[in-house]
Amino acid sequence: MNEKFYALPEEKQSQILNAAYKVFATNQYKKAPTSEIAAEAGISKSLLFHYFHNKRELYLFLWKYAADLTKKYMCKYKVSGNDKSLGTGLWKGDGK
């Protein structure tokens, strides 16, 4: 899945992903026009569907991509329970 998308240069991939995040962030899923995503990314709508078969596949790709990034940075910046510099008290729900 998405071999054609991964074959793109990283800069182009980022353009498409950022455009999709922007449009989905400002619209509900059903009201997010793929034509707007394509225009924002500087590509045609048909080219967008060349990389992602449909809007659902693109949306799920974005969710997985965001989850993977979050996981990567959570593992990279693990915080010990004694590190007050990152506000670990908020994780416990005590607001301190």
Side-chain angles (χ1 to χ4, degrees):
M1 184 159 94
N2 302 99
E3 295 89 14
K4 295 171 186 169
F5 177 73
Y6 286 122
L8 291 171
E10 276 189 46
E11 184 178 332
K12 194 62 170 178
Q13 288 179 25
S14 292
Q15 276 182 273
I16 294 168
L17 295 181
N18 289 334
Y21 278 124
K22 180 179 179 180
V23 174
F24 282 123
T26 57
N27 298 280
Q28 297 175 11
Y29 171 80
K30 287 185 178 184
K31 293 183 179 183
T34 52
S35 57
E36 191 176 324
I37 295 169
E40 186 72 31
I43 61 174
S44 68
K45 186 176 171 179
S46 60
L47 193 53
L48 180 65
F49 287 124
H50 177 73
Y51 302 130
F52 299 94
H53 294 106
N54 53 45
K55 182 164 68 169
R56 182 177 185 266
E57 183 180 298
L58 172 59
Y59 190 76
L60 293 175
F61 180 89
L62 293 173
W63 270 101
K64 183 177 181 337
Y65 184 78
D68 290 347
L69 274 178
T70 301
K71 184 178 177 181
K72 174 184 171 185
Y73 287 103
M74 291 290 286
C75 290
K76 184 176 180 180
Y77 298 107
K78 277 188 178 177
V79 179
S80 70
N82 296 328
D83 187 350
K84 301 294 183 194
S85 65
L86 294 177
T88 55
L90 293 176
W91 289 100
K92 297 176 191 171
D94 61 10
K96 296 180 184 174

